[in-house]
Amino acid sequence: MIALLLTSCPAESYGYVNLFLERDRKAPRLLDYDLKENRICILTFDETVSITDARMDGCTVYRSGSMTRMAMLTLSREIQPGKAETLFFSAEDKAGNTSRFALKLVGINLTQAPLIITEVSMKGTSQAPDRIELTATGSGSTGGYAVLDGIIGYENHAFHLPDIMMNKNDIIVIYWDKCDALPPTLIRDMEKTYYLFAESDETLIGTNGGVILYSHTNGKGKVEDAFLYNTSDATNNNGYGNEASEESVKYLSSIGEWSGETFRSDYVTSSRVAARYYPYQDTDSASDFYVTAPRMSTFGYPNTNVIYEP
């Protein structure tokens, strides 16, 4: 998830309340932030505030300004793609209550390869570990991409991809939590398969969870693709099994990155995995995926549409 100074919250914040006023003793709260063109930081608050003493690299970015709920700060310099910088600033509301923030901003890659999730093994074993496969549908680089096992704020682990130049149909296979030794890069005719290790301390959730691909993780991030799954007998959290699963479905549905029911994980095992139908289409729904027949996973290669029949 987004790294921050001294805390894992979306932004390090210290609140100062004006005790001499009886009505408003609530410090301003940052709702979201974004980075445009790697030079403009957009801040959204829960109330009208004035931004003061904004600094990056010790240089003043913005000293003070008019009251606003959405502030746009032009940084002292452009942040390089994939590089992280910390922006310090204070926000003061009309009552004099002040919050101080430290935001970690990551430069956005403007030449990313379009990627989709094409295969997921979430009930792995030591012989067949949890893996996630990504396939490039065009050319570009992977810098800035991150794979999470839930939406930002509900994930157990976030894996930021290294910067790899991809061509159309190139594949990345991510070993999530176990990997004795990564296979070497595979060359398939004119296409390549790269193998990466996410180094997660935990396995993927085997029953009720998700895999979310973000093109960047500033603020609430930008979702590039998602795979959401649940068992048919889940009863907790409105049938989604746990809070993280429910919140992921609600959020992704609200932003148009998921539609309809989640993928049913009942028949997935270590030898039967979830795979996207080939040729690949992305309708942001469970209908894009099927359960493979036993031992018919194709990690590192295009999928074959050999479907499990119960």
Side-chain angles (χ1 to χ4, degrees):
M1 72 189 288
I2 299 173
L4 303 161
L5 296 182
L6 306 179
T7 181
S8 59
C9 301
E12 182 185 2
S13 171
Y14 302 95
Y16 297 90
V17 176
N18 187 341
L19 298 177
F20 298 99
L21 296 178
E22 295 184 0
R23 290 186 179 180
D24 183 359
R25 297 188 178 183
K26 186 177 177 183
R29 188 163 60 95
L30 182 67
L31 299 179
D32 195 12
Y33 66 97
D34 200 0
L35 183 64
K36 298 295 185 183
E37 301 175 357
N38 289 332
R39 186 72 188 269
I40 300 173
C41 183
I42 302 174
L43 309 169
T44 304
F45 295 88
D46 64 340
E47 61 177 318
T48 300
V49 300
S50 175
I51 304 297
T52 60
D53 298 324
R55 296 176 179 272
M56 189 177 80
D57 286 339
C59 300
T60 299
V61 173
Y62 191 84
R63 189 172 298 278
S64 63
S66 57
M67 305 294 289
T68 181
R69 289 175 64 96
M70 180 180 290
M72 298 178 63
L73 278 61
T74 300
L75 305 179
S76 53
R77 59 179 173 78
E78 182 177 308
I79 299 178
Q80 294 303 305
K83 287 206 53 128
E85 301 285 355
T86 303
L87 175 67
F88 301 90
F89 66 93
S90 298
E92 182 177 339
D93 66 14
K94 293 179 180 179
N97 304 314
T98 302
S99 292
R100 295 178 60 189
F101 299 89
L103 295 186
K104 186 170 185 179
L105 302 174
V106 179
I108 298 170
N109 183 356
L110 304 178
T111 59
Q112 279 182 326
L115 300 178
I116 56 172
I117 300 165
T118 48
E119 202 163 5
V120 179
S121 168
M122 60 277 201
K123 294 184 180 179
T125 63
S126 57
Q127 289 74 34
D130 288 351
R131 287 157 290 171
I132 299 165
E133 181 186 84
L134 309 175
T135 299
T137 59
S139 61
S141 68
T142 59
Y145 270 113
V147 178
L148 284 67
D149 54 1
I151 59 171
I152 290 175
Y154 289 91
E155 81 279 16
N156 292 316
H157 186 64
F159 174 57
H160 292 265
L161 271 62
D163 197 1
I164 301 172
M165 289 302 300
M166 304 279 284
N167 293 317
K168 185 177 181 180
N169 298 324
D170 282 353
I171 292 172
I172 292 174
V173 177
I174 301 169
Y175 286 73
W176 191 249
D177 64 301
K178 297 184 185 73
C179 183
D180 294 332
L182 282 174
T185 298
L186 173 67
I187 299 178
R188 304 170 286 110
D189 295 326
M190 299 298 292
E191 297 154 358
K192 294 181 179 180
T193 296
Y194 301 90
Y195 297 92
L196 304 174
F197 182 29
E199 301 185 60
S200 174
D201 292 331
E202 300 182 37
T203 63
L204 292 172
I205 297 175
T207 52
N208 305 293
V211 175
I212 320 297
L213 175 65
Y214 285 89
S215 59
H216 73 77
T217 53
N218 290 313
K220 294 179 180 178
K222 184 178 185 301
V223 176
E224 185 77 9
D225 196 20
F227 171 65
L228 303 177
Y229 55 91
N230 294 100
T231 56
S232 58
D233 60 355
T235 56
N236 293 339
N237 294 91
N238 296 308
Y240 294 111
N242 56 67
E243 183 183 13
S245 177
E246 181 181 19
E247 291 301 321
S248 293
V249 173
K250 286 165 57 178
Y251 175 69
L252 293 173
S253 298
S254 73
I255 63 173
E257 291 294 338
W258 192 262
S259 176
E261 297 293 323
T262 55
F263 181 81
R264 290 293 172 247
S265 61
D266 303 65
Y267 294 116
V268 173
T269 65
S270 60
S271 66
R272 301 194 299 257
V273 306
R276 188 182 292 269
Y277 285 103
Y278 186 86
Y280 303 136
Q281 295 186 3
D282 187 9
T283 66
D284 297 319
S285 67
S287 63
D288 293 335
F289 296 87
Y290 64 94
V291 177
T292 68
R295 294 174 294 280
M296 291 303 295
S297 64
T298 58
F299 285 99
Y301 297 86
N303 294 343
T304 56
N305 298 351
V306 182
I307 303 171
Y308 172 67
E309 299 292 343

